[in-house]
Amino acid sequence: MRDDIELDTYGIVTTGAEDVSETRAFNEELERRLAAEPPIHILNDPAASRKTRTLMGGHERVPEAVDRVVGGVPVRVFVPPVVDGVFLHIHGGGYVIGSADGQDPWLWRLAREARVAVASVDYRLAPENPYPCGPDDCERAALWLAEHAAAEFGADRLVIGGESAGACLAALTLLRLRDRHAVTGAFRAAHLSFGSYDLSMTPSVRHWGERNLLVSTPIITWFREQYTPGTTSEERRSPEISPLYADLSGMPPARFVVGTMDPALDDTLFMTARWRAAGNAAELEVVAEAAHGFTLFPIAIAERERRQQVGFVRKAVATAA
């Protein structure tokens, strides 16, 4: 067992304990910084928010990436010198902000170190394009990749993944491939970071409150209303919107990641349990005091998690199915 792992009385593995002082200090600075500008739900201007904010950090485009359209959907593609597989990436942003080029440095690093071509989906955003536009775009990109990856990239070992809303969209994409197209096994693994899998809101989201560590209960509520306008909480529990309520049988092995200071903590805990109960393999990593979106913060737990993700993806494409 790694020396950074603690096991609590409920059997949940928690990592990052040795770096908790740095993590806590960063969270406090993040909260102070976010308090200097109106929260996104108060600003209530999605177009303006896209120009000034991303859900998870900075915005630096790398020249190695190429913008393409596949299956009628814009994607940003990163091809390293050696390709053993392909990673379909779906960005976060509450279905309202974010973009395929918002994590260029990280995706280019993932491509090189995991030896995968990366295709990041630039799906349509709410409220201009509410549900089901985003899932439709991700479904089309995934179908194209399942059919053309070998010819385009010289490899057909596929992995899917995303962060926050992107993790939810990744899960929905796998479900759509299975239910609408009878496609199972095309993606051999899923990497799902701090996803929001229940748009009716899990207890941890409901009870989090106003504290803004990138997201809060009011911010998540605002995102939800932009994405699924005019729907009730019960309607948002539809498996086609909230994958937590879906039949999860036949899903690929998955790695779930979340921090203990994330309002959506329950989403990952519940989804991991249901993933396993449906007969699928699942890893769970809960990071001490990590906030939502922590993987792109300049702190030790983020770098450790990036290495873990590289290892998971690399293993998925390097081994036989």
Side-chain angles (χ1 to χ4, degrees), residues 37 47 50 53 66 78 89 98 117 119 168 181 194 199 216 233 280 311:
E37 58 184 74
R50 292 179 200 129
R53 312 170 193 226
V66 176
F78 307 75
H89 173 257
C168 178
H181 307 282
F194 36 85
L199 271 74
S216 65
S233 288
N280 312 301

Side-chain angles (χ1 to χ4, degrees), residues 223-242:
F223 280 140
R224 179 191 69 173
E225 291 170 352
Q226 305 303 305
Y227 177 54
T228 55
T231 57
T232 66
S233 288
E234 184 61 34
E235 290 168 334
R236 291 182 178 119
R237 294 188 188 104
S238 165
E240 295 185 352
I241 297 175
S242 296

Side-chain angles (χ1 to χ4, degrees), residues 30-305:
L30 176 65
E31 186 175 13
R32 285 194 295 271
R33 192 154 35 95
L34 291 172
E37 58 184 74
I40 192 169
H41 67 290
I42 298 297
L43 183 63
N44 196 27
D45 188 338
S49 295
R50 292 179 200 129
K51 294 178 181 178
T52 60
R53 312 170 193 226
T54 62
L55 185 64
M56 288 174 268
H59 194 110
E60 175 190 345
R61 289 170 64 92
V62 301
E64 292 83 1
V66 176
D67 293 312
R68 296 184 57 183
V69 176
V70 301
V73 179
V75 297
R76 191 155 171 83
V77 178
F78 307 75
V79 182
V82 179
V83 176
D84 292 333
V86 185
F87 183 80
L88 182 63
H89 173 257
I90 307 176
H91 70 79
Y95 316 95
V96 176
I97 62 176
S99 62
D101 64 357
Q103 298 185 54
D104 270 18
W106 158 239
L107 294 179
W108 180 229
R109 173 182 170 183
L110 176 66
R112 299 191 315 274
E113 295 185 5
R115 295 168 54 150
V116 290
V118 175
S120 187
V121 186
D122 214 8
Y123 58 89
R124 289 170 291 173
L125 299 175
E128 298 90 342
N129 298 284
Y131 174 87
C133 295
D136 287 349
D137 290 349
C138 296
E139 176 187 354
R140 286 196 293 270
L143 276 173
W144 182 90
L145 203 57
E147 295 172 2
H148 300 285
E152 289 284 332
F153 303 110
D156 61 359
R157 296 178 175 184
L158 309 181
V159 179
I160 192 170
E163 309 84 20
S164 191
C168 178
L169 290 169
L172 288 175
T173 298
L174 292 170
L175 292 167
R176 283 176 170 224
L177 291 182
R178 182 196 68 188
D179 297 341
R180 298 184 177 193
H181 307 282
V183 174
T184 58
F187 287 85
R188 54 175 53 202
H191 194 281
L192 306 173
S193 300
F194 36 85
S196 178
Y197 307 108
D198 178 2
L199 271 74
S200 71
M201 299 200 300
T202 56
S204 61
V205 175
R206 292 175 182 270
H207 298 309
W208 176 265
E210 300 276 349
R211 187 182 183 191
N212 185 3
L213 288 179
L214 214 57
V215 293
S216 65
T217 302
I219 289 172
I220 294 171
T221 300
W222 182 83
F223 280 140
R224 179 191 69 173
E225 291 170 352
Q226 305 303 305
Y227 177 54
T228 55
T231 57
T232 66
S233 288
E234 184 61 34
E235 290 168 334
R236 291 182 178 119
R237 294 188 188 104
S238 165
E240 295 185 352
I241 297 175
S242 296
L244 182 65
Y245 297 93
D247 168 11
L248 296 174
S249 60
M251 293 293 100
R255 182 170 184 267
F256 293 89
V257 180
V258 72
T260 63
M261 291 298 290
D262 190 330
L265 172 62
D266 282 351
D267 289 69
T268 288
L269 299 181
F270 296 172
M271 193 63 164
T272 305
R274 293 213 63 241
W275 204 272
R276 289 172 174 165
N280 312 301
E283 300 176 21
L284 170 62
E285 183 127 356
V286 180
V287 184
E289 302 216 21
H292 196 75
F294 78 93
T295 52
L296 290 186
F297 296 158
I299 49 179
I301 57 169
E303 176 56 26
R304 182 181 298 111
E305 174 51 35

